[in-house]
Amino acid sequence: MSTFQFLVSSVPTTLCISNPSHRFETLSFFREIETKLYAENVRIHIDLSGVKQFTAEASLFFFATISNAKLRLNDPKVVQFTWPQKVNNPQGHKAIIATGLAAALLANSVSDLDQLTIDERFFQSSVDPEKQLISTRAFLLKNMDKPLNENQFGLLTAAIGEAMINVKHHAYELDQSLELKSYLGGSRWWQCSWYHPDWDALFFIICDLGCGVIDSYKSSHSDISTHKTEPDILREAFSEGFSRFIDQGRGNGSEDIKRPITEGQGMNDVKYEKLRVFSGYSQYEYTIQNGKPIIKCNTVSSIISNDLSKASSLLPGTIIEWCLIPERTKLTIE
C-alpha cells in the first residue's frame, strides 16, 4: 500500500474549529485525511512539526478522526506522524506532545484506548458511561487545588454523565451511523478533561462521530419548516418540550445535556458555567454568570450553496464543551 505525504506546508499552522477564521481550513484538512484513507485507500504520513496552535476542540476531533480510521481500517500503520520538536517549535510541542495528544494519536486498538483512561491521560475514549464517569470525575478532582462542596460535586457528576449517556442513547441511532458501532466497539466517544489552576476551572469536552444533533432532531420532527435555519433547529432542540425522545423512556436527548447547567442557575456555589455545542455548521452556547443565563445560537461558518467546497465547513457528529468555575464561599467535602 502506498503512503501519501501531508507535508508541513499542507498542514494548517493553526487548527481550530470554534473560530470561523480557521474552521474552514481546519475541517478541510481533516476531510482530506479521510479522502486519502477511505476513497483513495492509501496510508498517510502527517507532518505536524509546523503546527503552532491546536485548540482543545480541534485536538479532540482530530483524535477522534485518527482513532476512527485505525479501528475502521484495522491497520496500526495507516497513519504515521512527524512531531514538533521543543527546540524548534515550543508552541507546537506544548500543544501536541505536552498535552498528551501525541500519545492518544498513537493508540491503535480498543485496548490502547482503554489504557489511556488507566494511565489518566487528558485524552481518553470509551463506550461505557457508568465506568467512564467515575474515572473522569476522580481524575478531575484529583488534580484540583481545592475540593468541591456537595452541590458542586453533584453538578460535575450530572454534566459529565448526561453528555456520556447522550452519546450512548442518541449519537449512533440513525441508519447512516449504525455501521460505525460495529468497528468502534459500541457508541464510542472521545473526550478531554482538565483542571485549570489559574482560573480554578474544570473543563470537560466530549466528541462523537455520529449523526449529529441536527439530523437526530429532524429525524423525529418531520413537520419542521423547510425555512428554519440550522441555528433555529439547534436552539429548538435544546428548548424544553422539544427533546428528541421526550416521554419515550429514553431520556430527553439534547435537553438532558443542558439540564445540569440549567439546574445550576442561581446557585451560590457556581461562579461561572458554560455549555457549548458544535454540530453541523452551527454552535449553541448557554452561559450562567452570576445566576443569569445567556443563550447564543449561530452559524459558525457561512455556507455558500453554489460553492461545493464550502461543504468542508460541516462538522459531522457533535462536540460538547462544558466549563465550571466553582464559588469558594462554602464548606467543601473531600
Side-chain angles (χ1 to χ4, degrees), residues 161-204:
E162 294 291 1
M164 292 177 176
I165 291 172
N166 184 73
V167 175
K168 184 177 180 64
H169 286 173
H170 307 290
Y172 298 95
E173 65 184 15
L174 299 185
D175 290 343
Q176 64 267 34
S177 302
L178 289 173
E179 183 183 355
L180 286 169
K181 296 173 69 172
S182 62
Y183 54 80
L184 291 179
S187 298
R188 180 166 296 280
W189 71 84
W190 295 261
Q191 66 177 68
C192 181
S193 56
W194 71 97
Y195 171 71
H196 196 302
D198 294 339
W199 302 345
D200 190 23
L202 292 160
F203 291 89
F204 176 74

Side-chain angles (χ1 to χ4, degrees), residues 173-174 211-224 228 232-239 241-245 254:
E173 65 184 15
L174 299 185
C211 56
V213 176
I214 305 295
D215 286 347
S216 177
Y217 185 73
K218 288 169 66 175
S219 70
S220 63
H221 293 77
S222 57
D223 58 339
I224 289 180
K228 279 192 174 181
D232 289 338
I233 296 173
L234 195 59
R235 181 188 290 269
E236 184 175 298
F238 281 92
S239 299
F242 287 99
S243 302
R244 173 76 171 88
F245 287 104
S254 53

Side-chain angles (χ1 to χ4, degrees), residues 89-145:
N89 182 4
Q91 289 175 284
H93 184 273
K94 181 179 180 181
I96 296 174
I97 307 299
T99 61
L101 175 59
L105 294 173
L106 292 175
N108 295 323
S109 63
V110 170
S111 60
D112 287 346
L113 292 174
D114 292 341
Q115 191 63 40
L116 295 173
T117 299
I118 297 172
D119 293 341
E120 297 185 333
R121 298 282 189 172
F122 288 111
F123 291 91
Q124 301 177 9
S125 180
S126 182
V127 297
D128 187 338
E130 293 184 9
K131 183 178 179 180
Q132 192 68 15
L133 168 60
I134 294 172
S135 61
T136 301
R137 186 177 60 193
F139 170 76
L140 285 170
L141 295 177
K142 178 181 178 181
N143 287 281
M144 294 190 70
D145 294 333

